[in-house]
Amino acid sequence: MNSIIPTALLTLLALVNFGQACIDKSIYYEIDNEIEKIASSINAEEQLVHFYGGIVRLAAHDFMDYDQNSDTSFGSDGCIDWNHEVNKGLETIWCTSCPLTKLYRKKYSFISKADFWIASANAVIRQLSKNQSFDLANTFLWGRKDATTCKGSGNRIPLATGTCQDVEDTMLDAMGLEWRDAVALLGAHTIGKGHEAVRSPFERHDGYWMPTVADSLRFDKQYYEELILRTWRARNSGTDLEDFTASTEETHEHPQIMLKSDVCLLYNSDSNYPCCSKTHRFRNGRNQCDVEQVLSKKKCRRYSNRDTRMQAVNAVLEYLGGSSPNDNQGPFYRAFNTAWYKATTNGHDNLKPLRRMC
Ligand code: HEM
Ligand SMILES: *[C@@H]1O[C@H](CO)[C@@H](O)[C@H](O)[C@H]1NC(C)=O
């Protein structure tokens, strides 16, 4: 019966009944459906990667500005600091002519942008997950209110060259998460990509976290596999674009990257950047730390057993799901669900769960 009654009428009924807009399962899955429709209209795979990745990043940047120790706590409130450099790249996801924005204006402006961005990110994650089965609906809550301004919120989000100290400041101290949550959330870098370089490959953090475009369209535990498997060598060292790359001319479609805030979840790379994660690997007689731009053959340090960041290392190992190769997404998905729930509800009380019908 749900499908016969037009959404507009349902919305009107919901408004009449409760005096406020409500999100039920049919609206939630309809948003999922609409996102899928937009995605299927995008032909260029690179663009599709950015469309999907950008939506998840948008929701994350909305919640990553939460600070439990501040009077202006921000968090998921439909507001990000558009002028701040950390949000560059999102202007092609949320803008007047952007498909996602148009969808919101046309059909869903009765709910908050904050709720809409999270529902949209959940849709992306489900669609790109194994068997399309990773459904965050069970922990989805709605009823967030949008803020019209959130000046200064961009300062709370780690820069692209940020370290594990920045992850700790933002995700542990300000957002109140644990290392295992931070590590799970950063696993979202398994989808999406860095900005396309406009002039030179070093202009921005150019590249994909995954070795192929197809891999960047799967929301799975591959981020952790790449982290542990590859030879990550420092790139752009000494510039304001410091990061890591694993690219070799022969095997990669695009540059493959990890940020300093990714590599430091497994190695104590904050303490001796620039470094390389595996210094004894050779290919065609050449050290893998020493291809293309040679930056460092210095080995990235390990954390000592007493270091609290061993919690991050242990989380990486846990999310690998056992000895590889294996297809056990469970540990990553469960941890991501927990972390995503905490991050998206931070600072809110009175949020409501999805019901079958409003
Ligand atoms: C330490 C925290 C983080 C840092 C430093 C960081 C940094 C970055 C950077 C530099 C990019 C490339 C942006 C561009 O050039 O267009 C990016 C992309 C992305 N980030 Fe993060 N990020 C962080 C946390 C997160 C979290 C918590 C999530 C989600 C749970 C996330 C999801 C994504 C996604 C999906 C993309 C791809 C965007 C696209 O394809 O357009 N990031 N991130
Ligand atoms: C996906 O489906 C296969 C085959 O039915 C199953 O073995 C596997 O556990 C599923 N994976 C997830 C993460 O749902």
Side-chain angles (χ1 to χ4, degrees):
M1 189 174 83
N2 278 357
S3 55
I4 302 170
I5 307 175
T7 318
L9 186 58
L10 277 178
T11 307
L12 194 67
L13 283 172
L15 285 168
V16 169
N17 282 343
F18 297 98
Q20 73 171 117
C22 154
I23 307 181
D24 64 13
K25 285 198 173 154
S26 70
I27 294 171
Y28 181 86
Y29 286 113
E30 192 190 272
I31 292 172
D32 187 316
N33 221 334
E34 295 282 356
I35 303 274
E36 201 160 15
K37 262 197 253 164
I38 298 173
S40 67
S41 74
I42 300 174
N43 294 319
E45 271 205 319
E46 282 83 354
Q47 240 176 295
L48 184 60
V49 167
H50 173 57
F51 172 72
Y52 271 140
I55 291 174
V56 174
R57 183 171 173 237
L58 178 63
H61 280 217
D62 196 16
F63 68 57
M64 265 199 288
D65 60 12
Y66 178 73
D67 186 350
Q68 61 183 357
N69 305 311
S70 167
D71 293 337
T72 48
S73 56
F74 299 136
S76 283
D77 57 5
C79 185
I80 68 171
D81 196 343
W82 289 102
N83 295 320
H84 200 288
E85 65 172 301
V86 290
N87 294 320
K88 275 226 191 86
L90 291 173
E91 73 285 348
T92 52
I93 298 297
W94 194 258
C95 64
T96 313
S97 64
C98 295
L100 187 72
T101 319
K102 281 161 82 178
L103 173 64
Y104 176 73
R105 296 262 149 81
K106 192 168 148 217
K107 294 186 73 175
Y108 300 106
S109 55
F110 65 94
I111 68 177
S112 67
K113 267 189 286 179
D115 287 346
F116 181 73
W117 288 352
I118 294 164
S120 300
N122 288 7
V124 169
I125 290 166
R126 189 199 62 75
Q127 286 166 37
L128 301 185
S129 69
K130 190 82 191 177
N131 306 340
Q132 304 206 319
S133 67
F134 183 32
D135 194 336
L136 294 155
N138 289 339
T139 53
F140 176 80
L141 300 181
W142 56 270
R144 294 169 193 77
K145 294 197 173 61
D146 290 335
T148 45
T149 59
C150 50
K151 214 163 161 247
S153 66
N155 294 329
R156 295 185 182 173
I157 297 174
L159 293 170
T161 50
T163 61
C164 264
Q165 187 57 56
D166 299 299
V167 177
E168 188 169 329
D169 293 348
T170 300
M171 297 204 187
L172 277 65
D173 298 346
M175 293 172 69
L177 305 178
E178 297 171 41
W179 271 114
R180 51 181 294 105
D181 302 315
V183 172
L185 289 175
L186 283 162
H189 283 155
T190 191
I191 60 165
K193 65 190 186 84
H195 241 64
E196 218 67 69
V198 183
R199 275 175 285 131
S200 87
F202 311 112
E203 189 179 12
R204 296 187 53 80
H205 300 272
D206 181 42
Y208 291 61
W209 277 262
M210 295 297 112
T212 69
V213 175
D215 289 332
S216 307
L217 288 168
R218 281 196 285 267
F219 193 89
D220 59 12
K221 65 185 169 72
Q222 194 178 347
Y223 171 85
Y224 310 102
E225 293 164 351
E226 294 297 324
L227 202 50
I228 206 158
L229 195 86
R230 303 263 171 201
T231 302
W232 292 105
R233 57 184 199 279
R235 181 178 74 162
N236 304 333
S237 146
T239 73
D240 58 1
L241 288 173
E242 290 186 338
D243 58 14
F244 286 86
T245 184
S247 309
T248 58
E249 302 91 312
E250 316 91 73
T251 56
H252 284 78
E253 297 171 355
H254 295 275
Q256 187 181 3
I257 59 160
M258 285 276 171
L259 301 173
K260 290 158 77 175
S261 49
D262 298 306
V263 170
C264 67
L265 302 178
L266 184 60
Y267 301 99
N268 189 356
S269 49
D270 284 11
S271 72
N272 70 333
Y273 190 90
C275 65
C276 182
S277 67
K278 296 181 195 286
T279 48
H280 297 292
R281 278 211 185 152
F282 289 82
R283 190 194 192 106
N284 301 329
R286 196 150 186 208
N287 190 309
Q288 287 295 284
C289 294
D290 183 21
V291 274
E292 290 168 350
Q293 333 93 36
V294 189
L295 292 165
S296 179
K297 286 194 263 184
K298 195 168 56 175
K299 197 174 164 85
C300 296
R301 290 202 182 108
R302 294 260 176 199
Y303 289 108
S304 79
N305 285 334
R306 279 161 310 166
D307 200 312
T308 54
R309 291 191 191 155
M310 276 305 285
Q311 292 168 28
V313 176
N314 289 332
V316 170
L317 300 178
E318 180 187 333
Y319 307 157
L320 287 168
S323 54
S324 51
N326 73 70
D327 196 22
N328 178 18
Q329 307 295 334
F332 169 49
Y333 283 174
R334 280 191 293 274
F336 187 87
N337 201 344
T338 302
W340 186 254
Y341 171 78
K342 289 186 196 173
T344 54
T345 58
N346 248 340
H348 294 277
D349 32 25
N350 297 323
L351 295 181
K352 298 176 191 68
L354 283 179
R355 273 193 307 236
R356 205 178 56 79
M357 259 185 95
C358 280

